[in-house]
Amino acid sequence: MNETETGNAMLDYENQLFLDIIHENELFVFAKGVLTELVLKNVFEAYTTETSLVFVLGASKGEEAYFREKLNNEKVYTITSEEYLSNTRKVMYGNGGLFFITARILVMDLLKEIFPIDKVTGIILLKAHNIAENSQEAFILRLYRTKNKEGFIKAFSQTPTSFLLGFAKLNRVMRSSFLANVSLWPRFHAVVKQSLNLPGDDSLTHVVEIQLNLTEEMREIQTNLLDLVSWSVSELKRLVPALNDDEINAETALTHGFQKIIGAHMDAEWNTINNKAKELLNDLKVFRILLTYLTKFDCVSFYSALCNYTSSDMVFKSSWIVSTSAEKVIVASRGRILKQPKKTPNEQASGAGSKKATFKPEVHPKWLAVSEILNDTFKQSEKRVAEIATEEMSDDDSSCGLAMKSPDLKTLIFVEDSRTCSVLKDYLTDGSLEVMGKLVHNSDKIKIDLPPDLIAKLNSKRKADSEPSAKRIKISNNKDNSEGVSEAGPSNDGCSKDKDVQITLTQIRRKYETVEVFPSPVMIRPYNNPNEEDAFSVNETLLSLKPDVIVIFDPELELVRQIEIHRARMAPQQNIRVYFLVFRNSVEEQIYLTSIQREKLAFEKLIEEKASMVVPNEREAKDELNQDLWRDPSKASDAIISAQSHRNMEQTTEGREIILVDIREFRSELPSLLHKRGIDLEPLTLDVGDYILTPDICVERKSISDLIGSLNCGRLYKQAEAMGRHYKKPILLIEHEQKAQLSTRFGKNDLTQVMPKLQVLTMNFPNLRLIWSPGSHYTSEVFQELKKGKDQPSPEEAMAIQKESVGEHISTKYNPIPHSFLSKMPGIDSRNVYSILNRCESLHELANLTEKDLEETLENSHTAAVLYAGLHSETLTSDAQAATSSKLKSVKALMSKQKKPFFRVRVVVSQSSANASTNYQRRFRRRQ
C-alpha cells in the first residue's frame, strides 16, 4: 500500500459510519473530531449522479470549496448567491447532482416550486444543533416533507455540548428535522475506541505529555485573576436570581461557551437586568481573555494586552481596574519584563537608593520546552542517518529501498493562531531577547527604555530586511549572540560552532511557516481559522507534510482528536511521536479538562434521553398524521383532532391568502410562522417595504438594533416616505429580538435616544402607523388579523413600484439650485427628477421641449402633460386678465392728464383662492 492509499484509507469505525449514514435516516451526533472529511467526501460522492438530486445545507464557504475540489465532479454545484437566476437553477436541478446551497435560496425555490419537489432524492443538514422550530432549515424540511414523503433527511452535529442548553433540545431538534432515530458517536464508542487504540501500540512511548510549571509572576497573575472571576460570578448570581444554578460557577466561566450558557438563563429577563450585572458580564469576558493570553502569549504581548484593558479610558467602564487584585496583576506583569538589580553589600550598608530596573524579559516556558524537543529530535535524526549509512555499507542491494526513506525527521508544531506562529519562528531563529525587544519597540502601549545596543541591533536588522537584495541572513554562534542561542538551544546543538549558520526565511505557504535554521525541517502551523476559509486545514497539513514529530503548543480537544486519527491511519507506514505541552495547575489545563468533561457529560445525558424518549410513529411525516405539517391558524388548545381532519391540505384557490415577502426577510422566522398559519408566501425583491399584506397595506419590519441604525443614518425616513407615496396604509413594525446575542443588546439609554427620533418621524409622516411586537408569533397573528376581509396583493403591481434611491454620487453630480427648483414643479417627484436632469442641461432647454419629448423622457403621458401644462400655461385666468387690463387702461388715462405727476403708482396683482377678482395695492413714495 503506497502513501496515497494509506492517507485515503478509512478506519474500521469510519467504514461502519459510512454504511450507517448511507442506509439510515438519522440524526448523527459526533464527538469533536470523530466525523472526518474523508467520510463526508465518500457520502457526498455517492450522490453525485444524474439520477440524484441532493441538497446540502449548513456548509461553510471553506467546506464547500474543499469538497468541490476533492470530489472534482461536474455534478457538484455551489449556489450561495444570486449569480444563478431562477430559470438557470431550474435547469441545473433538472440535470441532477449534489448542490451546496444556502437556506435562503432553497426556501424561495421551494415556495415558487420551480422544480418538482417530489423528485428530490434527499437533504443533508450539517450543524444540526443550530436548527430551531421556526428556523430557515426547519421551514425547508417542512416544505420538503409536505410534497415529498419518500426522500431522505440526514442531519449531522459535532457539538454535543449544544444539546445541554435548553429543555429537551435533542427531542426538539429531531422533531424539527422529522427524524425518529438518533445515532451517538462519542470517543468512548466501542468501535471508535478499538480503531484508534491499535493492537500492540504502546501509546505511552509515542505520546509524551510535558507538564510545565508556571513562573512565580505567572502564578501571581493567575491567582489574582481567578479571585476576580470568583468574586464576579458570585456577585452576578446575587444580582440576577435566574443564574442561581450549579452550572454557573467560576470553572464554567473560563470556558468559551459561557456566553451561550448565560444567554440561555438570561434571555427572558435581560430587559430587567441592571447596568451593574451587564458590567460584570463584560468583566468576565475580559478576565477569560487575559487568562488565556497568560499561557499563550509571551510576557511582552500579555502586558500590552493588559495595558489595553486597564487604560485610563476603561476606568469609567469597569470598576475592577481600581481593585487591589488588578494592581497586583499589573505589577507582576511589568515585573516579567523589567528586573530590579540586587544591591551589593556595600550599597546596602551605605543605604543607597534602588537601581533602575533593566530590560530582562522572562522567556516563555513553552519556548524552552520546544527547544529541548527539537534538540532531542535532531539527535534522533543523527542516529537515524548513522543507522542508514551502516545498513548501506553492510548490504548494497538494499540501498534502493533505503533511498526512499528520508533520514531527516520532520517536525510540525501546531499553535493556535498566526501571531503565535510568527513570534515562535522569530524566537527559534533570532533568540528571545531580540524578539522581545522588537515587540516592545513596535508596541504603542508599552513605554519601556530598551538597551542602546539592542536598539542598534534592531535598527540594523530592519535596515537589512528592507533591502531587496538581502534574502539571506547570517548569525554567528559566538559569545556576542549567547543570549539568543543559549535559550533557543537548537542554534548550538544543531549546527557547528566553527561556521556561520545560513538562515533562509521562506515565505508563508499554505499558512504554515518553515524554519530552515536547523538540520531537519521544522514547520509551525496555526490550527485556528476564524474566517473558516481553509476548512479541514489540519488534516490537509498532516497528509501533505507527513511529519514524524508533532508538537501541540496550545492544547485543543478537536486538534488532539484529529492527530489521533491521523496516527491510527498512518500506523502501518509511519511511527509518529506526539508532544503535548501544557502548564500544570493552570487555567489552560483546566479549560482543556473541562471541555473533555462537558463533552462526556453531554453524551451521558444524550444516552439517557435517547433511552427514555417517546417518539411518535408519525415523526418522519410519511403520512398526513404529523401535526407539524398542518397549516392551521387556530391555537393548539382549539384544535380538534379527528380522522376526517386534514388541516394540512392545500386551501382552495378562492380562499387563498397571499403575502408578498421580500427575499431578504427569509433570514427571520416570521415567514415560517406565516406559512404555518395557512398563508401562502410570494418571495419577491421588493424596493418598498418588507411585507405587502393588501394592495393598501405595506409593512416595514425593524428589529431594535436595525431601528436604531436606520434612525441614525436617516434610511428610515426615506423608507417611510416611499411607503407613504405608494400605499395608503404604511406600517412600521418594531419587533423585539428574542434571540439576540448578549453583546448586541441595547439598554434603556439607547431606547431613550430613539423615542424623540420616532416622534419626529410620526410628525413628518402622520399616515404612518407603528406596531410594537414582542416577537414573531405575535406578529404573525397581527398580520392575519390585518388581512381579514381584504383583497390580496398583486405581485405585478408591487414589482412595478420603484423606490427612489439617492446616493452620494447623485447628490454631488447636479447643481442643487436647479435640482431644488425642478423638484417643486408639477408632475415631478424624486423618482423621475433624475430623468429630466440627465436629459436637459438647463431649465431653458427643458422649457423648449415638446410634450412628446417629455413623454419619452418621463415614460408617462399623464406626468408629461401635467409638466408641459405647468411650463406653458398662462399665469392668470381669463377673468383676472380682463380685470387687470381694464384697470391698467384707467390708470394710464389718469396719468396722461397729469403733466407732472407728484406720485408714482406701482400695481401688484395677486389671485385669491376664494375670489378670482383682482386686488390692487398701491405703494406711494413722494417724489423728492
Side-chain angles (χ1 to χ4, degrees):
M1 182 179 296
N2 55 30
E3 295 182 3
T4 305
E5 293 176 351
T6 303
N8 294 329
M10 292 198 301
L11 301 175
D12 293 340
Y13 90 90
E14 291 177 323
N15 289 322
Q16 180 177 342
L17 178 59
F18 171 76
L19 295 176
D20 292 348
I21 293 175
I22 293 295
H23 293 99
E24 302 294 337
N25 296 339
E26 295 179 341
L27 169 64
F28 295 88
V29 182
F30 305 95
K32 283 189 175 182
V34 172
L35 179 62
T36 61
E37 75 285 356
L38 188 59
V39 177
L40 288 176
K41 183 179 77 68
N42 292 333
V43 171
F44 294 154
E45 192 173 8
Y47 299 111
T48 55
T49 60
E50 295 181 356
T51 58
S52 300
L53 178 58
V54 178
F55 296 102
V56 180
L57 297 174
S60 62
K61 293 182 179 179
E63 292 172 344
E64 294 169 0
Y66 174 83
F67 286 119
R68 287 203 63 179
E69 179 184 356
K70 292 299 179 181
L71 293 173
N72 194 19
N73 194 312
E74 60 181 6
K75 289 299 179 181
V76 180
Y77 307 95
T78 301
I79 303 177
T80 57
S81 61
E82 299 293 340
E83 57 179 342
Y84 298 107
L85 300 178
S86 59
N87 295 332
T88 306
R89 295 198 299 271
K90 180 179 180 180
V91 176
M92 296 170 64
Y93 298 153
N95 295 331
L98 183 73
F99 291 84
F100 292 94
I101 190 170
T102 59
R104 185 175 62 88
I105 296 178
L106 183 57
V107 72
M108 291 190 301
D109 293 343
L110 291 175
L111 288 173
K112 293 180 179 180
E113 296 187 10
I114 65 173
F115 63 95
I117 302 178
D118 56 341
K119 301 299 182 181
V120 178
T121 306
I123 296 178
I124 298 177
L125 179 63
L126 305 178
K127 302 177 180 64
H129 54 274
N130 292 330
I131 190 173
E133 182 181 359
N134 299 307
S135 61
Q136 285 189 12
E137 292 79 8
F139 190 18
I140 289 173
L141 296 178
R142 190 166 72 245
L143 294 173
Y144 168 67
R145 269 290 174 250
T146 303
K147 299 293 182 66
N148 191 326
K149 306 296 183 181
E150 302 297 332
F152 68 79
I153 297 176
K154 305 179 189 298
F156 306 105
S157 174
Q158 296 192 73
T159 311
T161 54
S162 297
F163 292 93
L164 295 176
L165 303 177
F167 175 74
K169 185 173 181 179
L170 177 63
N171 190 18
R172 290 186 283 113
V173 170
M174 293 176 62
R175 180 179 177 180
S176 301
S177 305
F178 299 98
L179 296 173
N181 298 318
V182 57
S183 180
L184 305 176
W185 288 81
R187 172 61 180 84
F188 53 84
H189 194 287
V191 182
V192 178
K193 187 176 181 180
Q194 183 180 1
S195 300
L196 298 183
N197 297 337
L198 300 176
D201 179 22
D202 188 6
S203 298
L204 296 178
T205 61
H206 297 281
V207 179
V208 181
E209 180 179 356
I210 302 177
Q211 293 189 348
L212 306 171
N213 294 322
L214 295 171
T215 62
E216 184 178 351
E217 289 81 3
M218 294 175 68
R219 193 178 298 109
E220 177 74 12
I221 295 172
Q222 177 178 278
T223 302
N224 288 279
L225 287 176
L226 288 177
D227 291 342
L228 291 172
V229 170
S230 301
W231 178 84
S232 300
V233 171
S234 60
E235 190 71 10
L236 185 63
K237 295 175 72 173
R238 185 185 65 83
L239 295 175
V240 185
L243 297 179
N244 287 326
D245 192 353
D246 295 338
E247 191 177 10
I248 308 298
N249 50 41
E251 181 180 334
T252 312
L254 301 177
T255 60
H256 298 290
F258 183 69
Q259 289 290 108
K260 293 182 179 179
I261 299 174
I262 289 293
H265 288 80
M266 298 174 60
D267 249 345
E269 303 182 7
W270 178 260
N271 294 328
T272 62
I273 297 174
N274 56 20
N275 294 329
K276 181 62 178 178
K278 297 177 182 179
E279 178 184 330
L280 290 174
L281 285 175
N282 294 328
D283 293 344
L284 285 173
K285 184 178 180 181
V286 173
F287 300 152
R288 184 167 60 252
I289 293 174
L290 291 177
L291 286 169
T292 304
Y293 287 173
L294 178 62
T295 55
K296 186 178 71 172
F297 286 170
D298 55 272
C299 59
V300 176
S301 301
F302 176 80
Y303 184 65
S304 177
L306 181 63
C307 292
N308 188 29
Y309 288 114
T310 57
S311 60
S312 57
D313 298 335
M314 300 296 295
V315 175
F316 301 99
K317 299 179 181 179
S318 301
S319 58
W320 70 272
I321 301 176
V322 296
S323 63
T324 306
S325 299
E327 183 180 358
K328 294 180 180 179
V329 170
I330 296 174
V331 173
S333 301
R334 190 173 181 85
R336 297 176 64 193
I337 304 175
L338 298 176
K339 302 297 182 182
Q340 191 72 29
K342 295 182 179 180
K343 295 183 180 180
T344 62
N346 296 332
E347 292 176 345
Q348 294 179 359
S350 61
S354 59
K355 294 183 179 181
K356 185 178 180 181
T358 58
F359 178 73
K360 192 175 182 181
E362 174 186 275
V363 183
H364 200 291
K366 286 189 177 182
W367 291 1
L368 301 176
V370 169
S371 301
E372 295 178 3
I373 292 172
L374 294 180
N375 285 330
D376 183 59
T377 303
F378 301 149
K379 292 178 181 179
Q380 293 180 8
S381 181
E382 292 175 357
K383 293 181 181 179
R384 188 173 180 179
V385 172
E387 292 176 358
I388 293 177
T390 304
E391 293 179 4
E392 287 179 350
M393 294 176 60
S394 61
D395 189 0
D396 296 338
D397 296 335
S398 62
S399 60
C400 296
L402 293 171
M404 300 298 294
K405 187 175 181 180
S406 175
D408 294 335
L409 295 177
K410 297 180 182 178
T411 303
L412 177 61
I413 305 174
F414 277 110
V415 296
E416 184 175 357
D417 49 28
S418 57
R419 185 190 181 283
T420 308
C421 173
S422 178
V423 173
L424 182 58
K425 178 190 173 180
D426 292 341
Y427 163 73
L428 294 175
T429 54
D430 301 333
S432 63
L433 185 61
E434 188 171 340
V435 172
M436 301 292 188
K438 183 170 66 174
L439 292 174
V440 172
H441 188 71
N442 296 334
S443 176
D444 297 333
K445 301 292 183 180
I446 303 177
K447 305 300 181 182
I448 295 177
D449 296 332
L450 297 177
D453 55 343
L454 181 58
I455 295 177
K457 188 175 181 180
L458 293 175
N459 293 333
S460 61
K461 184 176 181 181
R462 186 183 298 109
K463 183 178 180 181
D465 292 340
S466 62
E467 296 178 1
S469 59
K471 297 182 180 180
R472 306 181 70 87
I473 303 173
K474 292 185 178 182
I475 297 181
S476 302
N477 292 329
N478 50 26
K479 294 183 180 181
D480 296 338
N481 195 35
S482 59
E483 181 69 23
V485 176
S486 61
E487 294 170 349
S491 298
N492 283 331
D493 297 338
C495 307
S496 174
K497 296 183 179 180
D498 299 331
K499 298 181 180 179
D500 293 339
V501 180
Q502 297 280 340
I503 303 177
T504 305
L505 302 180
T506 59
Q507 298 295 331
I508 298 177
R509 181 175 177 267
R510 291 185 61 84
K511 293 186 179 180
Y512 62 81
E513 297 205 10
T514 304
V515 182
E516 297 183 354
V517 63
F518 311 120
S520 59
V522 178
M523 288 147 288
I524 310 172
R525 174 70 162 89
Y527 62 82
N528 188 16
N529 297 309
N531 298 327
E532 296 185 355
E533 297 178 354
D534 194 4
F536 309 108
S537 58
V538 174
N539 294 325
E540 283 295 295
T541 303
L542 293 172
L543 290 176
S544 60
L545 299 179
K546 293 182 176 58
D548 301 287
V549 178
I550 299 176
V551 180
I552 302 177
F553 191 85
D554 296 315
E556 174 66 24
L557 179 58
E558 187 174 1
L559 174 66
V560 172
R561 297 271 172 77
Q562 291 173 342
I563 295 175
E564 193 175 15
I565 294 173
H566 177 74
R567 283 187 65 248
R569 187 174 288 131
M570 300 296 293
Q573 178 189 2
Q574 186 181 19
N575 293 327
I576 303 175
R577 192 174 182 86
V578 180
Y579 291 92
F580 184 82
L581 305 182
V582 65
F583 284 100
R584 183 186 293 110
N585 299 328
S586 66
V587 174
E588 179 186 58
E589 182 184 24
Q590 185 62 40
I591 292 175
Y592 177 74
L593 296 177
T594 302
S595 61
I596 299 177
Q597 181 183 0
R598 283 183 56 82
E599 183 183 86
K600 183 180 179 181
L601 177 64
F603 273 110
E604 290 176 353
K605 290 190 175 182
L606 289 176
I607 292 172
E608 294 177 1
E609 187 175 356
K610 178 183 178 181
S612 60
M613 185 185 302
V614 179
V615 180
N617 295 329
E618 63 274 7
R619 170 61 61 83
E620 295 186 354
K622 298 293 184 179
D623 48 30
E624 304 296 336
L625 298 179
N626 192 311
Q627 300 182 19
D628 294 328
L629 298 181
W630 294 0
R631 300 180 61 191
D632 192 351
S634 62
K635 299 180 180 179
S637 58
D638 301 335
I640 301 177
I641 302 176
S642 63
Q644 299 179 355
S645 178
H646 297 286
R647 300 183 186 274
N648 62 326
M649 296 179 61
E650 294 293 333
Q651 299 180 0
T652 59
T653 307
E654 297 179 356
R656 183 186 177 197
E657 292 187 343
I658 303 176
I659 290 181
L660 307 182
V661 185
D662 186 44
I663 59 175
R664 293 176 289 269
E665 281 296 309
F666 281 95
R667 297 185 178 94
S668 64
E669 61 180 14
L670 181 57
S672 176
L673 293 172
L674 292 173
H675 184 270
K676 201 170 185 178
R677 298 184 70 85
I679 301 175
D680 292 338
L681 306 178
E682 185 71 25
L684 298 172
T685 304
L686 299 178
D687 289 332
V688 178
D690 294 328
Y691 297 88
I692 309 299
L693 306 185
T694 68
D696 298 333
I697 300 178
C698 174
V699 179
E700 179 71 27
R701 175 180 167 273
K702 296 289 184 183
S703 60
I704 300 297
S705 57
D706 193 15
L707 175 68
I708 296 175
S710 301
L711 288 174
N712 292 334
C713 69
R715 185 175 68 253
L716 185 56
Y717 296 93
K718 297 179 182 179
Q719 293 173 342
E721 181 183 1
M723 288 193 298
R725 180 178 297 108
H726 299 290
Y727 295 95
K728 296 181 180 179
K729 299 177 181 179
I731 296 176
L732 174 61
L733 171 67
I734 304 174
E735 193 173 84
H736 175 62
E737 300 172 283
Q738 292 182 334
K739 296 185 178 181
Q741 298 294 331
L742 295 180
S743 58
T744 59
R745 302 280 192 170
F746 294 91
K748 296 182 179 179
N749 295 333
D750 300 308
L751 297 180
T752 304
Q753 298 175 0
V754 169
M755 297 308 296
K757 297 180 181 179
L758 279 178
Q759 295 174 0
V760 174
L761 181 69
T762 54
M763 291 173 60
N764 292 332
F765 304 100
N767 294 331
L768 182 66
R769 299 293 181 262
L770 269 65
I771 297 179
W772 295 83
S773 173
S776 299
H777 290 271
Y778 179 81
T779 304
S780 61
E781 295 180 8
V782 171
F783 280 9
Q784 192 168 29
E785 292 294 330
L786 291 174
K787 285 185 63 63
K788 282 186 177 179
K790 304 292 193 306
D791 296 334
Q792 305 304 321
S794 172
E796 291 77 12
E797 295 179 1
M799 292 296 295
I801 297 176
Q802 296 180 356
K803 186 185 74 170
E804 66 280 3
S805 57
V806 182
E808 295 181 358
H809 63 284
I810 295 179
S811 60
T812 57
K813 179 179 178 181
Y814 303 104
N815 192 340
I817 297 177
H819 183 193
S820 178
F821 179 80
L822 185 60
S823 300
K824 296 178 176 59
M825 299 191 71
I828 298 298
D829 54 23
S830 56
R831 293 176 297 164
N832 54 24
V833 64
Y834 297 105
S835 301
I836 298 295
L837 292 173
N838 292 329
R839 170 69 185 274
C840 304
E841 296 182 356
S842 63
L843 295 177
H844 177 71
E845 184 179 353
L846 174 63
N848 294 331
L849 293 179
T850 63
E851 185 175 353
K852 185 177 181 179
D853 295 336
L854 292 176
E855 182 177 350
E856 294 177 355
T857 303
L858 299 175
E859 298 180 354
N860 191 312
S861 58
H862 176 71
T863 305
V866 171
L867 178 60
Y868 186 82
L871 289 172
H872 299 281
S873 298
E874 298 291 340
T875 57
L876 298 178
T877 61
S878 57
D879 296 340
Q881 289 179 1
T884 301
S885 60
S886 61
K887 286 293 182 179
L888 287 176
K889 289 180 181 179
S890 61
V891 170
K892 289 180 180 179
L894 179 63
M895 292 180 64
S896 61
K897 295 179 181 180
Q898 299 290 338
K899 295 182 180 180
K900 294 181 179 180
F902 60 93
F903 62 86
R904 184 175 299 173
V905 180
R906 183 181 179 184
V907 181
V908 180
V909 181
S910 63
Q911 182 179 359
S912 174
S913 59
N915 188 9
S917 63
T918 59
N919 294 325
Y920 297 93
Q921 296 179 352
R922 292 186 175 91
R923 182 175 303 170
F924 300 92
R925 186 176 62 183
R926 290 189 178 276
R927 183 177 179 183
Q928 297 179 356

